[in-house]
Amino acid sequence: PYAINSVVEQSYAGFAFGGIRFPIAGVNAYEVSNLIGNKSLQPEITTEYEVGFNAKFFGNRLGLDFAYYNRSTTDQIFSVPLASSSGFTSQYMNFGEVTNKGIEAMINVKPIRTNDFTWNINYTFSQNRNEVVELPEGQDQVIINGAYDMDYVAMEGQPLGVYVGPVMKRDPEGRVIVNNNGIPIGTSDYEIWGDQERDFTMGLNNTFTYKNLRVGASLDWRKGGMFYSYTARINYFVGNATNSLYNHREPFVVPNSVREVDDNGDGTPDRYVENTTQINRANIGSYWNASNNPAMTRAHVVDKSFLKLRDVTISYALPQELLERMGLPVKQLSLGAYGRNLMIWTPEENNFVDPE
């Protein structure tokens, strides 16, 4: 165990409302970490091979750069959850095996190149496929992190970082099952929502040079993958999420929903009937609040795709003759302006926050 200087927080129902900070009257305090070490740890080993090529054509007017890699990492050192009855909640262990396979490509083109004017285009593309090949013995999944009704886990055969949580319970025909208040019932078992792995990333840079003036701009496109947004959760909680404007916040019936009917009284539904119970004004807030509607947590995990105007630059190099007339002891001097992350476009489901 490791002793650490502590800040003991008093809390109720998981919400901190105060704190005791040590030292008090000159007396310090320590607590035992929830994370325990492991004397049996093995070194983490990564094996990789990569092949590629680089080629230039037409007097360097066209350039191609391509690479393929295959990387395998075994015995990654990772914090794995333990039963709290052990006195600890996690322990450092060797994780198993994770592979990464992917490609990286770059194309450089100079469509125009004269004595006074040059246009340069640089395009990049990369794609990675990650897979958890093996987990520690006896583990079918490892919880990496979690928040409320969502877990971020490692599963064999899946990318490292899968989001799982409750979804709306449905009848055999796929209709949403609601309770007596018309609010969907969440499943007791967690289901996979998606993972963090991107489909691909692209970059496009254009640079224009006219004599001593240089102007450049670049776009950055990252497609696919998911991320958990606490900002989204808070927006739903306080009613600021765009989706909460559904039906102008007037009472509504959950579309394609049914209620369970237990004719035999044995706790098992015998049939399903069309739901006609509206989410009334008193329950609209509960419908969008994951505390009352656990399946709504799914809306807090959003697409992390984005397209950004990553940067814009403009610069001017002072002519050599001017520098000589000014008597400056320099051979080159340029003045420039630079802007970064000037614009961003995100999917409709994410109008909450920059994924980065």
Side-chain angles (χ1 to χ4, degrees):
Y2 305 93
I4 60 172
N5 195 303
S6 69
V7 176
V8 180
E9 294 205 60
Q10 305 173 24
S11 63
Y12 177 76
F15 294 91
F17 61 84
I20 300 175
R21 296 183 177 273
F22 294 98
I24 296 177
V27 179
N28 209 345
Y30 297 86
E31 66 180 8
V32 176
S33 172
N34 291 332
L35 174 64
I36 187 173
N38 186 348
K39 295 181 180 180
S40 302
L41 285 179
Q42 299 297 315
E44 180 178 308
I45 303 295
T46 296
T47 305
E48 179 178 6
Y49 70 82
E50 181 174 329
V51 294
F53 68 87
N54 179 279
K56 295 183 182 297
F57 306 92
F58 312 115
N60 291 337
R61 296 283 293 273
L62 173 63
L64 304 176
D65 195 340
F66 178 85
Y68 168 81
Y69 61 87
N70 189 319
R71 182 185 309 123
S72 175
T73 303
T74 58
D75 293 329
Q76 288 188 95
I77 298 175
F78 213 84
S79 173
V80 177
L82 294 177
S84 56
S85 56
S86 66
F88 300 90
T89 58
S90 57
Q91 181 181 30
Y92 282 122
M93 294 183 182
N94 291 114
F95 190 68
E97 181 180 0
V98 176
T99 60
N100 284 277
K101 303 174 184 178
I103 60 173
E104 297 173 344
M106 181 175 69
I107 301 175
N108 179 258
V109 183
K110 294 181 175 65
I112 302 176
R113 187 176 63 186
T114 68
N115 291 334
D116 292 333
F117 181 76
T118 301
W119 176 18
N120 185 75
I121 302 173
N122 198 62
Y123 168 79
T124 59
F125 176 89
S126 64
Q127 184 180 65
N128 181 76
R129 289 294 173 261
N130 173 277
E131 181 182 355
V132 177
V133 178
E134 182 183 350
L135 289 174
E137 186 177 353
Q139 301 272 357
D140 57 352
Q141 68 178 40
V142 173
I143 298 177
I144 302 171
N145 213 324
Y148 301 95
D149 293 299
M150 181 278 299
D151 285 335
Y152 183 65
V153 304
M155 294 181 178
E156 286 190 14
Q158 297 285 344
L160 181 60
V162 173
Y163 293 95
V164 300
V167 296
M168 294 181 183
K169 189 176 179 182
R170 297 178 182 272
D171 73 352
E173 296 182 19
R175 296 173 296 184
V176 176
I177 301 174
V178 300
N179 60 22
N180 292 333
N181 292 323
I183 294 178
I185 300 173
T187 57
S188 56
D189 295 328
Y190 280 11
E191 297 185 14
I192 295 177
W193 294 339
D195 59 74
Q196 57 77 33
E197 186 169 65
R198 295 192 184 279
D199 298 334
F200 60 80
T201 63
M202 289 186 187
L204 180 65
N205 178 271
N206 281 274
T207 305
F208 304 91
T209 305
Y210 178 70
K211 294 185 178 181
N212 291 6
L213 179 66
R214 184 176 183 275
V215 178
S218 64
L219 294 171
D220 186 1
W221 183 16
R222 306 190 187 187
K223 176 70 168 61
M226 306 173 73
F227 77 106
Y228 175 79
S229 172
Y230 187 70
T231 304
R233 179 183 176 89
I234 292 298
N235 272 266
Y236 276 102
F237 178 75
V238 300
N240 283 343
T242 306
N243 287 352
S244 67
L245 293 172
Y246 180 76
N247 200 42
H248 305 289
R249 292 180 176 159
E250 292 296 321
F252 64 91
V253 175
V254 174
N256 194 32
S257 60
V258 295
R259 289 187 300 105
E260 296 176 324
V261 177
D262 180 9
D263 293 321
N264 298 324
D266 57 3
T268 302
D270 299 297
R271 56 191 176 93
Y272 301 91
V273 298
E274 180 182 359
N275 171 47
T276 58
T277 303
Q278 291 184 332
I279 306 289
N280 58 33
R281 289 187 178 87
N283 286 324
I284 285 178
S286 297
Y287 175 81
W288 298 108
N289 185 350
S291 298
N292 305 97
N293 184 4
M296 192 53 64
T297 303
R298 172 63 183 84
H300 308 160
V301 178
V302 297
D303 190 334
K304 66 178 181 180
S305 301
F306 67 80
L307 173 64
K308 281 190 176 184
L309 179 57
R310 181 59 80 181
D311 54 46
V312 174
T313 61
I314 181 170
S315 63
Y316 180 76
L318 274 66
Q320 185 67 36
E321 312 84 67
L322 178 60
L323 295 177
E324 292 175 356
R325 288 200 300 268
M326 296 173 63
L328 297 176
V330 295
K331 293 184 178 180
Q332 291 183 333
L333 179 63
S334 63
L335 304 176
Y338 174 80
R340 184 168 175 81
N341 295 336
L342 300 177
M343 297 184 71
I344 180 173
W345 295 265
T346 60
E348 184 177 359
E349 68 181 76
N350 176 26
N351 55 6
F352 303 106
V353 67
D354 181 342
E356 290 190 300

